[in-house]
Amino acid sequence: MIDSIELPNLDDQSMKNRPLLAPMVQRFMWVVGTVLIVICLLPLVLSFAGVNLSSAGPALTPAVVDGLTTGELGEAAHRALRGSFTHTLFEWSSVCAAAFVGLLAFVQYRQTHESSLLIIGVALMCAGAMDAFHTLAADRLSQAVASNTDLIPFTWAICRMFNGAIQLIGIGIFVFWAKRQVKLSTIGIVAISTGFVIIAYAIVHYSATSGSLPQTMFPDAAVKRPFDLYPLIPFVLCGVIVFPLNLRHNPTLVAAALALSIIPQIATQLYMAFGSFALHDGAFNIAHSLKIVCYLVPLSGILAQYIQTHSENERAESRLREYSNALEEGSESLEEATCLAEAAAKSKAEFLANMSHEIRTPMTAILGYTDLLMDPDHRETEFENTVQTIKRNGEHLLILINDILDLSKFDAGQMTVERVECSLSQVALDVESLMKVKADAKGLSLGVEQTGAVPRTVLADPTRIRQILINLTGNAIKFTETGEVRIILCMIDPPDTHNPRIKFQVKDAGIGMTEEQLAKIFEPFQQADTSTNRKFGGTGLGLSISARLVKLLDGSVSAESTPGEGSCFSIELPMTSAEDMELIENLDAIRNAKPKPSQMCKSKLANQLNARILLAEDGPDNQRLISFHLKKAGATVEIVENGKIAHDRAMEELHNGTPFDAILMDMQMPVMDGYAATTLLRNEGYSEPIIALTAHAMASDRQKCIDAGCDDYATKPIDRALLFETIQRQLRQHAGVVVA
């Protein structure tokens, strides 16, 4: 049960901020208001038109009764009581209408908690109760001795007065006390209303049992029933002040209907006060009819409000269902994402475990064999094997690091490709040469085949294609115990077609894979299963990187495998032929081609750098290693340990007229790093070659070095041949430097 009612805030600021009536409320008021005005004026028009709306019957005088038979007497009695019957019908219709609308208002209040609904319900229930008392007394169903000629008009006026007073006081409380934020008790409202009903009943009962009542009808006066002017006071106050304020601060359909109900309320009293001079005359019946309309007008607002609320609830439920569906979909997506995240976390955990093993294994060999070299009892005959073991494990560590870097480049969107003129046949032969040592160590046959004619040179990225083939060939060798591994090269489409493609295949006779294993081999951190790693090693990154590289080259990769028989990996790449395209039928033309001078000179690196070089490097081990290689190649080397000293020495020698021929600048150093030192040198007019040395191998890192002012870029660990080639290239671009 609702114990109290919280009134709306009606302070001055809230009144200023209140919106105008909603379009729906405005339309409702126009339509219902127009209908009510027509209903109220129509009886007046009909009366002027001569229509008799009276229900009064002929009086049963002794002269009329005399001589009538029993049947005729009954008919005469019915005609005489026609007005009373009509009055009873009107009144009990009013009672039923008031009770029905009052109950409906209570029901709607329980759903919407709109304050005015409670007052409407109380007012209508009270009005219905008073109409019932009035009718019971008039029909002599309760104790009554007063004449109906005086009783009916007098109790009518009293009931109407009480009806108006209840509405005025009830709605007025909500409007004028709302500023105090008063909470009214529902029990209190019912108690007050019950008090009104008891008082009204007491007055009606007193009037009905009174031997003398005041005269209420004056047929010859302008105001026929002056007592009916008094109820106009509360109704006019409601219509002019209280109901408009309530509508302004509570702009609902119910409040609008309540405001409109004043029209028939006032019309009822006007018809009765100025038009009714006798019981059951036309104005009397019109007033009773309009009283029923007064009770039904709030019904229209309640029904309209119910329909509106029902529509809003349906829309809200529809939106709630949409939100619920979206939430359910989101929950499913979240659950799926959670599963994917857990799977990814599990894969990465396995990857980290594998990486830990992969890194510790070569590190164990490197540290162990280094200890052997330091052992005075170590035999010199084992020296070369020990060094080769250390070198091999170091190269393996470098491959691991490069794989991780490649994967991070893909994730960061920094992996790029180039288009240069190259021979794909030569790339395949290079891979054969690089991987032959591994194949021979396992007793496997490794070869390259070419099926059909292919262009001698194309525009492609030989570095990325070589990396892909090395990964695939290395995997094939790893998982093959006996037999052969073949690299096959062929054209899918003729070179003169619109979109020619070239195909590489790497076939092995290894352990093979199942369909389930094939489905996930190109995912990062994945191998056929965890036992594969334990038996054959590896991080599970090679195939994932290869697949991403193929996609970056606008190609496609696929795999076929049969357990126990071997696997075949196929790569299809789009091909752009170089100018003056020449086709070769087999690989003999490539194998028998003489090496270029630049290739031949790589085996003659010693004593080729006739130059003064400033080496800026803070690591003592790297200082010794790099300076050893440079001095062995014939260069004069000066070592500094930070960028500040490098800047000072370079500018000092420049001012002395003996600048260094080149500076090898480590980019990560204390005091002043290589970026700042290079930028400062360039800003001061230093124009000699500066080559960056850095352990960062990303494309963005190279660009950062170039942007700082470096002429070229070399990565750590140092590739001696590549470093010398870079230095020679820069020396050739600067006049006055002689390269032997």
Side-chain angles (χ1 to χ4, degrees):
M1 181 175 179
I2 301 173
D3 295 329
S4 63
I5 307 165
E6 185 172 354
L7 300 176
N9 186 0
L10 303 180
D11 58 23
D12 294 337
Q13 185 62 37
S14 67
M15 290 171 61
K16 293 178 182 178
N17 295 333
R18 283 284 182 173
L20 297 176
L21 293 179
M24 178 180 292
V25 177
Q26 291 179 352
R27 289 194 300 270
F28 175 83
M29 293 193 70
W30 276 106
V31 172
V32 177
T34 302
V35 172
L36 289 176
I37 292 174
V38 171
I39 291 175
C40 292
L41 293 178
L42 182 60
L44 185 62
V45 174
L46 293 176
S47 298
F48 286 137
V51 177
N52 183 16
L53 300 177
S54 173
S55 61
L60 286 177
T61 62
V64 174
V65 174
D66 187 31
L68 294 178
T69 64
T70 303
E72 291 172 341
L73 182 60
E75 290 294 331
H78 280 94
R79 285 192 297 270
L81 295 174
R82 183 175 61 183
S84 296
F85 292 155
T86 305
H87 174 253
T88 301
L89 179 62
F90 279 135
E91 291 294 354
W92 284 111
S93 297
S94 298
V95 171
C96 293
F100 173 74
V101 179
L103 290 173
L104 189 61
F106 287 138
V107 172
Q108 187 72 1
Y109 171 75
R110 294 297 298 271
Q111 294 179 352
T112 64
H113 300 286
E114 185 178 335
S115 306
S116 58
L117 282 169
L118 185 61
I119 297 299
I120 292 172
V122 170
L124 290 175
M125 294 298 286
C126 291
M130 288 184 286
D131 286 339
F133 300 152
H134 161 78
T135 308
L136 289 172
D139 290 344
R140 297 301 191 264
L141 296 176
S142 65
Q143 184 179 1
V145 296
S147 171
N148 277 348
T149 303
D150 295 324
L151 177 63
I152 291 177
F154 184 72
T155 54
W156 161 277
I158 291 174
C159 292
R160 297 292 294 164
M161 188 68 187
F162 272 82
N163 190 1
I166 291 174
Q167 295 190 46
L168 178 65
I169 295 172
I171 301 297
I173 289 174
F174 281 90
V175 173
F176 293 108
W177 286 11
K179 290 184 179 180
R180 303 180 184 178
Q181 294 294 296
V182 179
K183 289 188 176 181
L184 300 178
S185 171
T186 305
I187 297 176
I189 292 177
V190 173
I192 293 172
S193 303
T194 304
F196 272 104
V197 173
I198 293 173
I199 293 172
Y201 174 76
I203 294 175
V204 171
H205 179 73
Y206 174 79
S207 301
T209 58
S210 175
S212 62
L213 291 175
Q215 183 180 354
T216 56
M217 290 190 294
F218 302 88
D220 297 329
V223 180
K224 312 297 184 183
R225 295 173 59 163
F227 279 86
D228 281 300
L229 292 178
Y230 295 112
L232 281 175
I233 298 174
F235 286 132
V236 169
L237 290 176
C238 286
V240 175
I241 300 175
V242 178
F243 288 177
L245 283 175
N246 180 56
L247 179 62
R248 179 181 177 184
H249 299 295
N250 187 29
T252 63
L253 294 172
V254 173
L258 186 61
L260 290 173
S261 68
I262 291 300
I263 296 175
Q265 294 279 22
I266 293 176
T268 297
Q269 294 308 118
L270 291 176
Y271 273 112
M272 193 66 85
F274 294 95
S276 179
F277 54 85
L279 295 181
H280 316 309
D281 61 7
F284 181 95
N285 290 337
I286 294 171
H288 279 77
S289 300
L290 290 178
K291 185 174 70 169
I292 299 174
V293 175
C294 294
Y295 296 157
L296 295 179
V297 172
L299 175 63
S300 66
I302 294 172
L303 292 178
Q305 185 76 43
Y306 174 79
I307 293 172
Q308 182 187 37
T309 303
H310 181 70
S311 300
E312 291 176 352
N313 289 341
E314 284 189 341
R315 288 193 294 269
E317 289 177 1
S318 177
R319 289 194 297 269
L320 184 60
R321 284 193 297 269
E322 292 176 1
Y323 295 153
S324 177
N325 293 336
L327 183 62
E328 185 176 351
E329 293 175 1
S331 177
E332 293 176 356
S333 301
L334 180 61
E335 184 177 353
E336 182 179 354
T338 302
C339 292
L340 292 175
E342 290 175 351
K346 181 180 179 181
S347 297
K348 288 186 178 181
E350 293 178 356
F351 162 73
L352 291 175
N354 293 340
M355 286 298 298
S356 176
H357 170 76
E358 289 294 321
I359 292 174
R360 288 175 181 274
T361 299
M363 283 300 300
T364 300
I366 292 171
L367 295 175
Y369 279 95
T370 302
D371 289 339
L372 284 179
L373 287 176
M374 298 173 63
D375 188 349
D377 297 332
H378 185 61
R379 291 181 297 176
E380 293 185 4
T381 55
E382 297 294 328
F383 181 81
E384 183 176 354
N385 288 336
T386 301
V387 172
Q388 288 293 336
T389 301
I390 294 173
K391 186 175 188 299
R392 184 169 60 252
N393 283 276
E395 290 173 346
H396 179 61
L397 276 177
L398 185 60
I399 291 173
L400 290 179
I401 294 171
N402 287 336
D403 283 347
I404 297 173
L405 284 175
D406 283 342
L407 196 64
S408 66
K409 288 179 185 179
F410 279 113
D411 291 339
Q414 295 179 340
M415 183 67 79
T416 58
V417 296
E418 60 181 352
R419 300 285 180 182
V420 298
E421 186 174 341
C422 63
S423 169
L424 295 183
S425 300
Q426 183 64 56
V427 170
L429 291 173
D430 289 346
V431 173
E432 177 192 30
S433 176
L434 288 169
M435 306 302 295
K436 191 168 181 59
V437 176
K438 288 186 177 181
D440 291 344
K442 295 188 67 173
L444 302 176
S445 173
L446 175 63
V448 179
E449 300 177 10
Q450 177 178 310
T451 305
V454 300
R456 179 181 289 274
T457 58
V458 298
L459 296 178
D461 189 332
T463 303
R464 301 304 180 197
I465 296 175
R466 185 181 293 109
Q467 182 179 357
I468 295 168
L469 292 178
I470 288 174
N471 282 339
L472 296 181
T473 306
N475 263 9
I477 293 172
K478 182 194 301 185
F479 296 111
T480 302
E481 298 297 333
T482 59
E484 63 177 359
V485 175
R486 290 180 297 154
I487 303 173
I488 303 172
L489 170 66
C490 66
M491 289 293 301
I492 299 177
D493 309 304
D496 55 354
T497 57
H498 179 61
N499 291 312
R501 291 174 298 163
I502 197 164
K503 183 177 184 179
F504 288 96
Q505 287 184 310
V506 178
K507 292 185 177 182
D508 64 61
I511 60 175
M513 291 175 287
T514 64
E515 290 293 330
E516 182 181 357
Q517 293 169 337
L518 276 176
K520 62 180 181 179
I521 57 171
F522 293 114
E523 298 176 9
F525 317 123
Q526 295 288 341
Q527 290 187 328
D529 54 48
T530 54
S531 63
T532 302
N533 172 263
R534 292 193 295 270
K535 183 176 181 180
F536 296 98
T539 61
L541 291 177
L543 289 179
S544 173
I545 293 172
S546 298
R548 296 189 184 194
L549 286 173
V550 171
K551 184 177 180 180
L552 196 64
L553 294 168
D554 298 325
S556 61
V557 60
S558 60
E560 299 176 356
S561 186
T562 302
E565 296 183 10
S567 305
C568 176
F569 287 82
S570 300
I571 303 167
E572 296 184 11
L573 300 172
M575 186 198 72
T576 303
S577 300
E579 296 182 3
D580 302 326
M581 181 181 61
E582 176 188 354
L583 298 178
I584 56 174
E585 295 294 334
N586 52 59
L587 295 174
D588 293 339
I590 303 297
R591 284 193 175 101
N592 298 331
K594 294 182 179 181
K596 296 180 180 179
S598 61
Q599 295 173 323
M600 297 176 62
C601 71
K602 288 185 180 180
S603 62
K604 302 177 181 181
L605 293 173
N607 301 318
Q608 287 188 351
L609 295 178
N610 183 18
R612 289 179 66 233
I613 296 177
L614 177 64
L615 173 62
E617 167 65 57
D618 63 315
D621 294 333
N622 284 333
Q623 289 177 354
R624 288 193 297 271
L625 177 63
I626 298 172
S627 62
F628 172 80
H629 289 316
L630 294 174
K631 290 176 181 178
K632 189 175 180 181
T636 301
V637 182
E638 180 176 338
I639 301 173
V640 294
E641 63 270 16
N642 62 61
K644 180 67 171 61
I645 302 175
H647 164 266
D648 295 343
R649 287 292 298 126
M651 294 305 298
E652 180 181 352
E653 290 299 305
L654 180 64
H655 292 153
N656 293 337
T658 57
F660 292 103
D661 296 314
I663 299 176
L664 296 182
M665 184 76 74
D666 183 24
M667 306 312 286
Q668 300 290 338
M669 292 184 292
V671 183
M672 180 184 288
D673 63 23
Y675 300 105
T678 302
T679 301
L680 188 58
L681 285 169
R682 294 309 189 198
N683 290 340
E684 295 179 2
Y686 193 85
S687 60
E688 300 302 318
I690 301 177
I691 300 171
L693 291 178
T694 178
H696 300 300
M698 306 287 278
S700 58
D701 298 317
R702 183 184 190 282
Q703 188 59 46
K704 185 178 179 181
C705 296
I706 300 300
D707 292 341
C710 296
D711 295 284
D712 217 324
Y713 169 93
T715 60
K716 299 176 183 177
I718 295 298
D719 184 324
R720 182 178 57 173
L722 185 58
L723 176 63
F724 288 173
E725 182 181 346
T726 302
I727 296 173
Q728 290 168 350
R729 183 170 59 251
Q730 291 302 321
L731 292 177
R732 284 194 292 266
Q733 293 177 4
H734 288 73
V737 177
V738 179
V739 182

